[in-house]
Amino acid sequence: MKHAIAVPALSLFAAVAALAQSPDFARKPPAWQVALEASKDVAAGEAIATKGKGAALACAGCHGASGVPAAGAPFPRLAGLPVEYVAKQLFDYRDGSRANAIMEPIGKALTDADIASLAWYYASLESPPGKAASTDHSQRAWQLARYGDNTLALPACVDCHGGNVTGGGPVLPGLAQPAAYTTAQLTAFRTGERKNDGDGIMQAIAKRLSDADVKALADYYAER
Amino acid sequence: MSKTMPAVDVVLVGGGWTGSVIGKELAANGQRVVVLERGQPRWTSPDFQAPGVRDELKYTRRNELHQNAATETYTFRNRVDETALPMRRWQFAYPANHLGGAGVHWSGAYYRWDPVEFKLRSHYTQRYGARIFEDGITAQDWPLTYDELEPFYDRFDRLVGASGFAGNLKGVIQPGGNPFEPWRSQPYPNPPMRVPHAPALFGEAAAKLGYHPYIQPSALSTRPYVNSEGLHMNECVYCGFCSNFGCEQFAKASPQVCILPVALKLPTFELRTNAHVLRVELDKDRKSARGVTYVDAAGVETFQPAQIVILCAFAINNTRLLLLSGIGRPYDPATGEGVVGRNYTHQTSSGVSLFFDESVKINPFMAAGAVAVTMDDFCSDNFDHGPLGFVGGGYIQIQVVSGAPIGNRPTPPGTPAWGSAWKKAVKRYYNHSIPITITGSAMPVRGGYLSLDPTYKDAWGQPLLRITYDFPDNDIKLSAFLTDKGTGIGRAMRGITLAQGNPRTKPYGVNAYQSSHINGGAAMGADPATSVVNRYAQCWDVPNVFVTGAALFPQNSCYNPTGTIGALSYWTADAIKRDYLKAPGRLIAS
């Protein structure tokens, strides 16, 4: 009997020791994901987007009344972007992990619920229809977007970002954006000024693009 | 029609991991090298880009990157008194074809072998007595040790951008890693993979039961990485198209991503694709190779003269080339004499089907070939084999490989195989089921071997390779033991409604997938009476022929082969550079 009692006691000790040592494998949901689950008030998002809130200027001022900026403006299209992407970017502006002089104070004026509402609002807007594929795009842009570059170890843009304006997944936006915006972002990834891309996946990719590649891609995605 | 090419220093048969590593090393050392690849050239861009590459029908069902079974297959029988029949399509394993070989369509599970694996016979005999080995098991010690191979494992780690968390750095156990891991001289170059939900639940249950779960090491880069050849790898995006596919992301290590771009820039390195090698040509005295004969893309039989021949074909296809070329004495199961073809093994794999309530969302499509939480508590000799009466072990894990729609249709036992009840079950369980996979070691047996088939021939008129094999009772006991342990973990997982273990049973068959790890036939050993090659992978009988890859394994470990194959490639390349070239044509002294 003594032996029978000793065995479970030993197992218990082993189990406790193992628990103390084992990594915690469970994934913690990021704060933006928690916020999106907690609040889905599209109307509140629309109100902030059109009228602003305190120090947060109305989004529509730059990003356009329906989330599509005026032609030639350097601001990104927001209409139809993945809800997760918009929420994550606003969280990142707010805590400074995506640096931008205009957007940081706006982010700081927004609560988690405000951000979630805005994200749900912009995701609810129709993305502008993609234009018919132009035939005068550069061969280089087409290659990079659709096939990548084997010599530079670059996968195709569409592998992750998809082939249409809505994007390739929750935090993978569609790339149809004004040329000035695409150029600014690829440049920021190249210089390391923008680094809210997880383990640096876009920074590493952008660093292998030449100036000409960046321009070709910016022009290509401005036409989408 | 036949022609002869200009002579070179080294010809390598096969453009996979071993041919690429050794070919590059020797070319960089100044040798004129030709790699003959029977398949086509395939590159990450454009060939493996989305959406084209994400085609389960093409790549998995129709074997796009696998050996063409219509032109060359294996025949199979369980016993010598049966007649072997050819496999018409691949089910038991996926032998590779095309540039990069299995190093393209592999999953990226990346292990080092336990030190015990290299002294298997003597270790178990010493600890448990010789009778722990069932009669007829021909397992034997390797002629080298883990400690000798460690620097070469390390080199291959840095070539493939291995990801993981070191459990044992220079003998010091690291909290949070695998406490059973063999010692490593350096940490992994990249951090471990991110853990999907199902492996996290597995880890939680395994830890609760007192086991030591950890994140499986992989050769999928987990962050942007510049490897030891100066080549870029990208970060894995968990797209779920690893196993049987080329990686679109330059994230899964392959010869194309990790080494060939550097090799091809060397003026001494030449790659010839669509070059199907028929045999190694020997001198009249049959003690020296003159080169190889292959059929080129135009169907012309071509002789490639070379000073050194290195067999780098897929696994047991190297054994077939030895048999076709008359190198080494073929094994005879009746007498137990001869060596070529001896010690064939596969992998004693099994599984536990798990079904969950609908609160547990598996998201099987958020996957990668090697993303798993796993445990080594029952690997190698990490547990007491004495009362169990078998040798070997296995790892137990949940790995989220693929949610691809043709293959991934889990339904509980008893579900009809068609009709509305089946459809309903598919819908109910697609996102609420995943197996525990168990990967066990495999022991060779006296009656299990590889030989040339007397009846069936390939498209070039050469005899097919014949597999004669059945499991030893040892491996069936092992599978029952491991599957029982796995089932226990499954039953301890949150949200489980059914855990059903499916241990491997006799007879060994070729109509169910058991991993693509088919091994042996050219065992590496210290004794020419029980091995084909010496400790530098050099043929005892023809010293200017070297053999690489899983054909060298005297028996199979529970761990996946590629890490060890890569380490052995560097080991052989170093021996050729350091010793062989100083006294060509002679056996390297051990």
Side-chain angles (χ1 to χ4, degrees):
Chain A
M1 280 305 288
K2 267 184 187 170
H3 186 69
I5 292 162
V7 170
L10 192 67
S11 314
L12 185 65
F13 172 76
V16 170
L19 275 176
Q21 277 190 0
S22 285
D24 182 4
F25 300 108
R27 173 183 168 275
K28 310 282 177 294
W32 54 262
Q33 189 180 339
V34 175
L36 285 176
E37 292 297 320
S39 171
K40 300 188 178 181
D41 191 342
V42 172
E46 183 173 8
I48 299 170
T50 52
K51 300 188 194 105
K53 185 195 166 199
L57 305 171
C59 314
C62 294
H63 296 281
S66 54
V68 181
F75 308 112
R77 157 185 75 89
L78 300 181
L81 288 180
V83 62
E84 297 89 350
Y85 179 75
V86 176
K88 179 181 185 297
Q89 301 312 308
L90 285 169
F91 268 77
D92 289 353
Y93 283 130
R94 190 171 68 177
D95 69 18
S97 51
R98 181 172 176 183
N100 183 285
I102 301 171
M103 288 305 299
E104 190 171 326
I106 291 173
K108 287 196 192 312
L110 298 172
T111 64
D112 286 9
D114 294 338
I115 290 176
S117 302
L118 279 166
W120 286 112
Y121 167 66
Y122 279 112
S124 76
L125 298 179
E126 194 90 355
S127 357
K131 290 178 191 145
S134 157
T135 49
D136 61 354
H137 55 71
S138 80
Q139 193 65 32
R140 177 63 175 161
W142 172 258
Q143 182 204 344
L144 287 170
R146 301 299 295 268
Y147 298 102
D149 183 316
N150 200 65
T151 309
L152 299 174
L154 293 172
C157 307
V158 299
D159 283 1
C160 295
H161 291 278
N164 60 33
V165 291
T166 51
V171 289
L172 296 164
L175 298 178
Q177 291 290 7
Y181 177 73
T182 302
T183 302
Q185 296 314 305
L186 285 174
T187 304
F189 278 128
R190 283 167 84 192
T191 59
E193 186 193 338
R194 182 169 176 188
K195 49 194 169 195
N196 68 331
D197 55 338
D199 296 307
I201 189 166
M202 276 309 302
Q203 294 175 69
I205 287 170
K207 280 192 176 81
R208 303 207 286 280
L209 296 173
S210 67
D211 290 347
D213 289 342
V214 169
K215 181 172 187 322
L217 283 169
D219 291 346
Y220 176 82
Y221 278 110
E223 287 179 7
R224 295 300 97 192
Chain B
M1 274 291 287
S2 71
K3 64 177 176 182
T4 297
M5 301 298 283
V8 294
D9 297 320
V10 186
V11 64
L12 298 103
V13 181
W17 272 126
T18 68
S20 301
V21 166
I22 301 173
K24 186 262 159 181
E25 288 295 303
L26 296 181
N29 192 53
Q31 276 66 52
R32 286 163 302 153
V33 165
V34 168
V35 171
L36 300 175
E37 163 57 46
R38 67 178 174 179
Q40 298 163 11
R42 302 280 170 96
W43 299 96
T44 307
S45 168
D47 301 307
F48 303 143
Q49 290 304 296
V53 77
R54 297 179 195 162
D55 186 339
E56 186 189 8
L57 187 63
K58 176 178 174 181
Y59 283 91
T60 304
R61 299 288 136 180
R62 294 182 178 158
N63 308 97
E64 177 70 11
L65 297 176
H66 305 149
Q67 181 171 307
N68 182 355
T71 56
E72 181 183 337
T73 184
Y74 309 130
T75 67
F76 165 71
R77 60 182 181 172
N78 281 123
R79 298 188 310 273
V80 291
D81 59 358
E82 297 171 339
T83 302
L85 293 172
M87 303 176 204
R88 302 288 180 178
R89 63 189 176 108
W90 299 120
Q91 294 176 295
F92 84 134
Y94 295 130
N97 195 15
H98 301 306
L99 184 62
V104 172
H105 70 70
W106 68 316
S107 300
Y110 186 71
Y111 287 98
R112 296 178 176 203
W113 284 16
D114 191 276
V116 164
E117 308 292 346
F118 297 96
K119 45 182 181 177
L120 193 110
R121 174 69 69 171
S122 56
H123 172 89
Y124 277 94
T125 302
Q126 201 175 349
R127 183 167 171 189
Y128 301 106
R131 292 185 59 193
I132 188 88
F133 285 98
E134 175 187 330
D135 280 351
I137 285 188
T138 55
Q140 62 198 42
D141 287 5
W142 286 70
L144 47 76
T145 65
Y146 174 81
D147 287 4
E148 286 178 294
L149 261 194
E150 201 285 335
F152 301 90
Y153 274 120
D154 186 67
R155 261 164 91 180
F156 199 58
D157 284 359
R158 267 138 250 286
L159 182 77
V160 302
S163 76
F165 186 89
N168 180 342
L169 272 180
K170 295 177 183 167
V172 181
I173 301 298
Q174 307 293 308
N178 170 20
F180 300 105
E181 188 178 51
W183 72 273
R184 317 170 48 83
S185 50
Q186 296 191 73
Y188 290 86
N190 288 308
M193 299 197 71
R194 297 181 192 198
V195 178
H197 189 46
L201 292 178
F202 172 87
E204 178 188 82
K208 202 165 63 186
L209 294 173
Y211 302 131
H212 300 81
Y214 68 100
I215 302 171
Q216 174 172 264
S218 89
L220 316 176
S221 185
T222 51
R223 61 182 172 190
Y225 177 69
V226 179
N227 81 351
S228 51
E229 296 288 348
L231 294 168
H232 288 277
M233 296 178 76
N234 288 331
E235 179 181 351
C236 173
V237 299
Y238 304 84
C239 71
F241 289 87
C242 292
S243 311
N244 299 316
F245 301 89
C247 173
E248 65 193 38
Q249 286 290 327
F250 300 85
K252 180 173 74 178
S254 69
Q256 282 90 325
V257 169
C258 297
I259 194 160
L260 284 171
V262 169
L264 285 166
K265 283 189 182 147
L266 298 170
T268 43
F269 185 95
E270 187 191 344
L271 169 68
R272 258 174 243 159
T273 50
N274 291 298
H276 182 95
V277 173
L278 299 175
R279 65 192 163 269
V280 181
E281 303 290 357
L282 302 182
D283 271 345
K284 277 190 188 135
D285 66 1
R286 308 199 69 75
K287 286 182 177 156
S288 176
R290 297 187 292 122
V292 302
T293 294
Y294 67 94
V295 178
D296 75 7
V300 176
E301 204 166 291
T302 306
F303 177 58
Q304 175 60 64
Q307 299 291 316
I308 302 175
V309 175
I310 308 182
L311 303 184
C312 303
F314 177 76
I316 60 174
N317 292 358
N318 287 323
T319 304
R320 179 171 182 247
L321 279 167
L322 291 171
L323 291 165
L324 288 171
S325 310
I327 298 172
R329 186 174 164 194
Y331 176 69
D332 179 352
T335 61
E337 289 172 5
V339 286
V340 182
R342 187 175 175 271
N343 286 33
Y344 169 80
T345 54
H346 199 157
Q347 189 96 64
T348 315
S349 55
S350 64
V352 183
S353 305
L354 303 180
F355 299 90
F356 295 91
D357 67 44
E358 287 176 274
S359 71
V360 177
K361 299 187 174 82
I362 304 293
N363 292 346
F365 38 80
M366 204 229 74
V371 64
V373 169
T374 190
M375 51 174 263
D376 289 7
D377 297 66
F378 300 111
C379 283
S380 301
D381 194 27
N382 298 340
F383 57 109
D384 184 4
H385 285 73
L388 301 170
F390 61 77
V391 300
Y395 64 74
I396 304 175
Q397 65 178 194
I398 284 187
Q399 176 165 274
V400 191
V401 175
S402 166
I406 303 171
N408 193 49
R409 285 276 180 268
T411 54
T415 305
W418 56 278
S420 57
W422 177 76
K423 287 178 192 165
K424 201 174 154 191
V426 164
K427 190 178 170 201
R428 162 65 180 82
Y429 287 104
Y430 176 80
N431 203 22
H432 310 287
S433 175
I434 190 158
I436 289 175
T437 50
I438 297 167
T439 304
S441 56
M443 293 302 134
V445 289
R446 186 176 159 147
Y449 71 112
L450 303 169
S451 54
L452 294 178
D453 193 277
T455 309
Y456 294 98
K457 293 185 164 53
D458 68 12
W460 295 269
Q462 301 207 102
L464 295 179
L465 189 68
R466 178 177 62 182
I467 299 171
T468 305
Y469 182 74
D470 201 356
F471 295 114
D473 289 338
N474 180 86
D475 292 359
I476 296 300
K477 283 188 220 167
L478 165 73
S479 187
F481 172 80
L482 294 172
T483 309
D484 184 55
K485 296 293 179 192
T487 308
I489 299 168
R491 291 191 176 133
M493 286 175 66
R494 274 193 282 152
I496 190 77
T497 56
L498 176 67
Q500 181 179 290
N502 309 298
R504 191 61 60 187
T505 53
K506 278 190 179 187
Y508 176 71
V510 292
N511 56 4
Y513 188 72
Q514 294 153 74
S515 88
S516 291
H517 315 147
I518 42 181
N519 322 287
M524 178 184 271
D527 179 358
T530 53
S531 61
V532 175
V533 300
N534 68 10
R535 75 190 221 114
Y536 301 109
Q538 187 178 21
C539 289
W540 291 114
D541 295 357
V542 186
N544 69 335
V545 175
F546 291 77
V547 184
T548 68
L552 304 174
F553 297 175
Q555 56 270 334
N556 199 11
S557 130
C558 68
Y559 294 112
N560 303 48
T562 305
T564 300
I565 288 170
L568 285 168
S569 300
Y570 277 122
W571 164 268
T572 294
D574 265 25
I576 293 172
K577 285 193 284 185
R578 185 190 56 233
D579 298 324
Y580 179 84
L581 291 170
K582 286 182 192 145
R586 298 202 198 138
L587 288 170
I588 301 170
S590 44

